[in-house]
Amino acid sequence: MTQRRLGIVMHGITGRMGMNQHLIRSVAAIRAQGGVTLSDGSRVQLDPILVGRNADKIQELAKTYGIDRWTTDLDAAIADPKDEIFFDAATTQMRPTLLEQAINAGKHIYCEKPISTNLPEALKIVRLAREKGVKNGTVQDKLFLPGLQKLKMLRDSGFFGRMLSVRGEFGYWVFEGDWGQPAQRPSWNYRSEDGGGMILDMVCHWRYVLDNLFGEVRSVSCIGSTHIPERVDEKGKAYQATADDSAYATFMLDGGVIAHINMSWCTRVYRDDLVTFHVDGTHGSAVAGLTDCVIQPRQATPRPVWNPDQKQTIDFYDTWQPVPDNTVYDNGFKTQWEMFVRHVVEDAPYKYTLVEGAKGVQLVECALESWRERRWVDVPPLNVGASKEKQHEPA
């Protein structure tokens, strides 16, 4: 069996997501399995170079996961022609600059989202990638969660009938850091000047989830809040939280579907998972979390009667049935990495491009405008071709 090498510059892999999901569970796991299998049965093995500012940390990661190459010289790594892909999972604020540098160096691009903090920068990167003819992709990890894969299967099978509504609940309590429990998330998440904020962080996720599973987003009404105004950082120093830590958004989708998603770092979980999606349709309903999914078809729907004078006799949880695990689901980040590698090496179809990343940024800006102006904001089709177009218009 033939095997070829594919060099990857990996930047931002000392952070939580970059290290755990992209390095350990994706690239290192792919290397351990012998590479990515192509359509002709041959394999391509990944040869990453780890890049970061902390030499000791980068070197230790390389040693731990059997990777030969590491460097603190990002410019040199991007300029090296023997590595074909540039991957970035570092700060959102620096991402457009680094992507532009890598595209101009002829690298194919794969990156975390958001691809920028604003739409003009996102569109600039999209156009540059098209102009230079490089292949590109944006991480869309939640589409590959087992729970959402089960929702997709239900939708494709016609289970829902006509889909009516989607209700999403996302988040958990992130400790303030001032009473003995350290915060579980970095302090920059709560400073808008450092690229933090719930709407910027999560609405780009909801764009691809809604578009791909329930219907393309056509308009949004959103309100954000900074519920916890002061937090304590990694060094034990109090700081002012300048970014929204919670948001509550309603989306109108193609086909008349209404979606509402609550997202908060200031909520205590009383539900089946850290994220759940409740989907109602004329023929059935489903509730999915990260891994599990339960359903209730119309034939098995109970007949409740409102009676505030009598204790409820129906166990509503007991009237749902689980969707079986008929498929083995690999790590979603790893699955998308393999898809992108096949796209680069053998031109396999791939839809999760920088354009999809720009759509996420577009919806973020629409949500922020809705909050700022306290109104519905329409989300038109993204016009990538023009240079200075306004990408959302008043409702």
Side-chain angles (χ1 to χ4, degrees), residues 125-134 136 355 384-385:
I125 293 301
V126 168
R127 295 180 187 122
L128 182 63
R130 286 187 171 184
E131 176 188 327
K132 298 294 185 179
V134 301
N136 53 87
V355 172
V384 177

Side-chain angles (χ1 to χ4, degrees), residues 304-305 307 310-316:
V305 176
N307 185 352
Q310 179 180 330
K311 185 175 181 178
Q312 181 57 248
T313 59
I314 300 174
D315 183 345
F316 289 107

Side-chain angles (χ1 to χ4, degrees), residues 92-275:
T92 304
Q93 290 175 313
M94 282 296 296
R95 186 159 297 136
T97 300
L98 294 180
L99 295 185
E100 182 176 358
Q101 182 181 353
I103 292 169
N104 283 325
K107 296 281 190 286
H108 302 300
I109 299 298
Y110 188 52
C111 68
E112 266 290 352
K113 73 274 136 206
I115 66 171
S116 72
T117 60
N118 62 80
L119 189 56
E121 283 188 337
L123 291 174
K124 179 182 178 182
I125 293 301
V126 168
R127 295 180 187 122
L128 182 63
R130 286 187 171 184
E131 176 188 327
K132 298 294 185 179
V134 301
K135 293 176 178 176
N136 53 87
T138 308
V139 177
Q140 315 252 274
D141 55 286
K142 288 176 175 51
L143 287 178
F144 301 92
L145 291 169
L148 270 65
Q149 287 286 297
K150 292 171 183 177
L151 280 182
K152 180 178 183 298
M153 179 272 293
L154 292 169
R155 183 205 65 188
D156 293 346
S157 73
F159 169 81
F160 294 109
R162 182 170 61 86
M163 199 176 290
L164 306 174
S165 64
V166 181
R167 297 193 301 280
E169 292 284 346
F170 169 81
Y172 50 90
W173 191 271
V174 175
F175 291 108
E176 303 92 319
D178 60 351
W179 61 276
Q181 288 282 352
Q184 312 96 296
R185 292 175 61 82
S187 58
W188 70 262
N189 284 273
Y190 305 96
R191 293 190 293 263
S192 58
E193 60 270 25
D194 292 332
M198 176 61 80
I199 293 174
L200 177 60
D201 188 22
M202 293 309 303
V203 169
C204 56
H205 284 286
W206 308 143
R207 179 67 191 266
Y208 67 75
V209 169
L210 295 172
D211 277 2
N212 283 278
L213 294 181
F214 309 118
E216 290 195 19
V217 179
R218 292 307 179 203
S219 58
V220 59
S221 173
C222 180
I223 183 169
S225 180
T226 306
H227 289 313
I228 308 295
E230 185 176 276
R231 294 179 178 269
V232 175
D233 66 17
E234 294 81 356
K235 296 180 180 179
K237 182 180 178 181
Y239 68 96
Q240 292 299 308
T242 56
D244 47 297
D245 55 25
S246 303
Y248 312 88
T250 303
F251 307 90
M252 296 182 67
L253 314 182
D254 268 353
V257 179
I258 306 297
H260 181 83
I261 302 178
N262 296 322
M263 54 205 103
S264 177
W265 301 126
C266 309
T267 184
R268 294 176 176 90
V269 179
Y270 185 69
R271 55 183 185 271
D272 293 333
D273 216 327
L274 297 184
V275 62

Side-chain angles (χ1 to χ4, degrees), residues 6 14 49 135 168 183 195:
L6 182 64
T14 57
I49 178 169
K135 293 176 178 176

Side-chain angles (χ1 to χ4, degrees), residues 307-340:
N307 185 352
D309 299 318
Q310 179 180 330
K311 185 175 181 178
Q312 181 57 248
T313 59
I314 300 174
D315 183 345
F316 289 107
Y317 287 103
D318 193 49
T319 62
W320 295 69
Q321 64 187 81
V323 175
D325 291 315
N326 292 336
T327 301
V328 176
Y329 299 97
D330 204 348
N331 177 277
F333 288 87
K334 176 173 174 281
T335 296
Q336 196 180 351
W337 263 101
E338 291 174 325
M339 292 172 63
F340 185 68

